[in-house]
Structures are given as structure tokens and as C-alpha cells.
Amino acid sequence: MKIQRAAAKAGQDVRGFCDESYKPFQKLAREANVDWDHFIRTSEPDHRFAVQHFWSMLRERGWIYAKKHEGWYSVSDETFYPEKGVHLALDRATGRKFMASKETGSEVEWTAEKNYHFRMSALTERLLAMYQGNPQFVIPGTRMRDVIQEVSAGLQDLSISRPSDRLSWGIPVPDDESQTIYVWLDALINYLTKANYPFQIPGMENADGWPADIHVIGKDIVRFHCIYWPAFLLALDLPLPKQILTHAHWTLGRKKMSKSTGNVVNPFFAIHRFGVDCMRYYLALDGGIKDDAMYDNSFIIRRYNTGLKNGLGNLVSRVLRAKRWNISRTVHRSSVSDDLYDQDFKEELQILPRKVAAMMEVPDPGGALGLILEAIQDTNSYIQSRTPWDLTEPADEEKLDSVVFLCLESIRISGILLQPFMPDKMKELLDMLGVADDARLFSNASFGSDSTYGQPWDKIPEEPLFPPLTSRY
């Protein structure tokens, strides 16, 4: 209904409106260097077939019934709220009073209509048993506890259709075109559509990517993904996603971002201003999983200067641009002195990939990124304390090679581990090191595993890897 109303406001038919509306999202994914296997639109024929088949199976198993439904409906949130979930709100700008969801603040309207319902209440105990058997099903744990609390309080049956004379944009209910399938039931089946549902081969159901290893969603749609979705799947005895990561939101000026108030960030402008890898780095580092994070241009610049320009960029310049040591010889020797400081630093680099992998398994990408930045900072401290530029005598050659090799390995390992965060910049860095294309996998990020690098693929550019970033514009 939200799309239908937006199209009407724009003076367009709904399909034409949607045909234009999805394009900025596709363009943004490309500019953000994000690839996809399938860019799904719910208007595609294969998805319509999957949704109607899913509905038919629910109906055949007795999970669907028709009745009159009354309640507070939010067009913005595309869901009904119970009486206890709404309150009288005030628009301070206009003085207008209206009923709104306590949870989201979205306006609700009283709706009475005949539609179809899903017997979700009958799945309460199965859901609770599933949560108990999979305590990491929802991450972080605080939201897992919220989900359990909501289900334990008792579930109501769920309205899963709207009269088509009120909602025409959507997939019709099979054998009853007077009703349109509820948008969230429709949307959630997206996950199954490109996994070839319902045409999976028995015994090979996961060959096309289902069940998902992880769903990544915002905290505002937890109910739909962590209660409704597993309930739908349990009703048909289909596998559940293995885990659902629910992240917090970005705020601007300590206020929730909102298109209606103009309190938003244009992602295209941000990418063009700061660079795609800088933005990926910042969003991963500061983005909140449990708590909301505050977006500010000054924070981007500060993080960039501290971790990239003065951190990794400075380290790369100190090691790779120096003329006082032979990098190829150092890598070929791959030797580390017996000095306790050197051995301790070597051990830190040896365990870094395991620590990063463990953090990604949590999953906590910001924490993983923080571990890599910490290792880079330690390497800058190490080279500063070892002063290899002072080791100029022939008798110092072995000690010099040990120090430089440790720094090179720190850069190489960090460069490999940072590829998911900054793919373009890390390609540039690994090219500067002369790391072969087939030696850039996670399995290659082990200390001393590569003795073939050391000659850059091309001349090292004059411009630093991370040039200065200012607050102009």
C-alpha cells in the first residue's frame, strides 16, 4: 500500500513507478562496489509463482482461514499493531494529533476488513523450542531476548491479505483475486525464489543456496524476519536460515534519519566526496550492531586520517619507499631474529588471521577491522622502536632483514585481510608488494607463507596510498 500511495502521489501507475524506483538502489550497489548473484524484484514472474505456491501449500495444510479483521494498520510499516502497541501522538511542527505505533512512531489508521489469516498462534511453542535450541539464531543477544519475550507473551494469528480494492499492487491470492497477499509474506519468500523454490531436487534442497547461512537486516524489521519468517517456514517444514544478524541504525545530528524531514545523507555524494573504499571502511568500523551510530563527515575524516592515512598509509610509505634496504632479498630470506621483541611481534602476526576470522564468525565485522588496525598501529610502533634506517653497517644486514621482513609481512597479511572492506585500495597495495593474484586468499594470510613477492607489478606511484582528506565542500 505504501508503494501504491507513493505512485498515486507522483501521478504514475504503480508498475511504472517501481520500474524507475529500483534503479537508484541498483546504481548505488554498483558504485559501492557491492555485487549480487540476483537483484530481485517482487514483480518478476518466478517470484509470483513461488509466492502463490507457498500460499497454496499453507492453505492445503490448514494454516490459512478467512475472517473479518479490525485493527490499527501502519501503511509506512506495512503491518497491523495491537491496541497496546499504539498511542496518541503529536506532530509538534503542525500541532496535529494522530494515532501512532509506540515502536516506530509511524502513523496508524483504524482498518476493518475481511481477509485471510495465518494460524501463527499455533506455532508459539515450536518457535520457542527453536529459539532455545538455537541461542545464536538472532544476533545480538539483546534482540534474541526481545524476540523470545514477545513470542512468550503470546502470538496472535496474522492477517496475511488485504482486499484488492484497497491494495491492487501485489500478488493476488490464488483462486481469490478479491484479495492481495500481505506484503511481508510476499517479500520474505524472496529468499526462496532464487534458491529455485519450489523446484528443488529432494535431498539437494540446499544446492541453490538455501538455507541461508545468514540474513543481514535492520533492527526495525526484526519481528518480520525473526518471528513471522521462521513461523511461515516451520508451517511447511522448510529449513530455517541458520542465523539472522540484526544491526542498529545510523543517526544524523543524534536524530533518526528520515526522508520526510530531510534528515538524511545522500550516499552518492558521500562516495564521490570521500571515495568508495573510505566509505566502506568507515561504515564497517563505526556502524553499530547493538547500538545506533552517529554519522558525521568529521568522523569520517578523523577515522580516515587516524587509521588509513597516518596508520596503514604511513607504514606502507616507510617500508616500501625506503631506499636503504632490499625488499626482494628480505622476502627471499624470510628470516626473523631470535630477539624476544621480534619473536613476540611475529607471534602477534601469526595469530592475527585467526582472531579476525573468529570476530567475523561472531559476526562482528567492525571488531575484525579494529583488530587489523591495531596490528597496523603496533607495526608502526615496532618500526619506530627498531629504527631500521640506522642499520647501515654490513654487520647489521641480518638484523635489518628481520625488522623489514616483519613489517612487510604485517603489510601483506593486513592487505589480504582488508580486501573485503577496501577491495580497490587493497588491490593497489598488494600490487605494490608484488603479491600474485592467486596468493591473496584468506588462506594466504599466514605468516611466512609467501616468499615470491617483493617486486611491485608496476612502478610505485608518487601519490601516497591514502592521500590527505580534508573537510572542504
Side-chain angles (χ1 to χ4, degrees), residues 311-312 315-316 319 345-346 348-350 352-353 371-383 402-418 426 429-430 433 445-448 453:
L312 179 57
L315 177 63
V316 169
V319 176
F345 186 49
K346 174 184 175 181
E348 178 182 344
L349 296 177
Q350 286 175 324
L352 176 62
L371 289 172
I372 303 169
L373 295 175
E374 184 180 322
I376 291 166
Q377 182 180 1
D378 290 347
T379 309
N380 271 314
S381 299
Y382 171 79
I383 195 173
S402 176
V403 172
V404 174
F405 178 64
L406 284 166
C407 294
L408 286 168
E409 280 295 88
S410 176
I411 295 172
R412 183 185 69 85
I413 292 169
S414 297
I416 290 173
L417 297 177
L418 285 170
M426 291 309 102
L429 170 58
L430 294 171
L433 283 171
S446 57
F447 187 89
Y453 73 98

Side-chain angles (χ1 to χ4, degrees), residues 39-65:
F39 192 97
I40 305 173
R41 298 182 62 195
T42 55
S43 56
E44 294 172 349
D46 60 343
H47 178 67
R48 178 183 175 123
F49 182 88
V51 170
Q52 291 189 319
H53 179 85
F54 196 98
W55 176 284
S56 297
M57 294 301 295
L58 287 175
R59 184 181 58 198
E60 287 181 20
R61 294 191 179 198
W63 290 103
I64 294 176
Y65 65 95

Side-chain angles (χ1 to χ4, degrees), residues 36-201:
W36 60 81
D37 294 308
H38 304 286
F39 192 97
I40 305 173
R41 298 182 62 195
T42 55
S43 56
E44 294 172 349
D46 60 343
H47 178 67
R48 178 183 175 123
F49 182 88
V51 170
Q52 291 189 319
H53 179 85
F54 196 98
W55 176 284
S56 297
M57 294 301 295
L58 287 175
R59 184 181 58 198
E60 287 181 20
R61 294 191 179 198
W63 290 103
I64 294 176
Y65 65 95
K67 79 164 192 175
K68 184 179 179 180
H69 184 84
E70 294 183 330
W72 294 103
Y73 187 78
S74 167
V75 174
S76 176
D77 299 337
E78 303 277 21
T79 192
F80 280 97
Y81 287 102
E83 190 72 36
K84 63 182 179 181
V86 301
H87 66 159
L88 185 65
L90 173 68
D91 185 334
R92 297 187 181 278
T94 64
R96 186 176 74 92
K97 295 181 179 179
F98 60 96
M99 296 301 292
S101 162
K102 291 179 181 178
E103 181 181 346
T104 66
S106 301
E107 185 169 353
V108 297
E109 55 191 38
W110 183 259
T111 301
E113 60 194 25
K114 180 181 178 182
N115 50 30
Y116 290 99
H117 285 65
F118 171 66
R119 301 182 192 276
M120 191 164 65
S121 59
L123 289 159
T124 300
E125 295 305 319
R126 286 183 66 185
L127 282 169
L128 290 173
M130 185 273 290
Y131 299 143
Q132 184 176 7
N134 300 273
Q136 299 298 309
F137 181 66
V138 179
I139 297 294
T142 51
R143 294 199 188 99
M144 178 82 260
R145 289 191 289 274
D146 291 342
V147 166
I148 293 174
Q149 182 177 6
E150 182 171 345
V151 176
S152 298
L155 294 175
Q156 296 180 342
D157 287 353
L158 180 67
S159 170
I160 55 170
S161 73
R162 304 297 307 278
S164 56
D165 57 359
R166 300 185 59 137
L167 178 62
S168 59
W169 179 247
I171 299 175
V173 168
D175 303 321
D176 185 358
E177 294 204 352
S178 70
Q179 295 281 317
T180 302
I181 295 174
Y182 174 48
V183 64
W184 272 107
L185 175 56
D186 172 350
L188 288 164
I189 294 170
N190 263 323
Y191 294 118
L192 292 178
T193 298
K194 295 305 179 182
N196 209 31
Y197 177 85
F199 299 112
Q200 293 135 323
I201 300 171

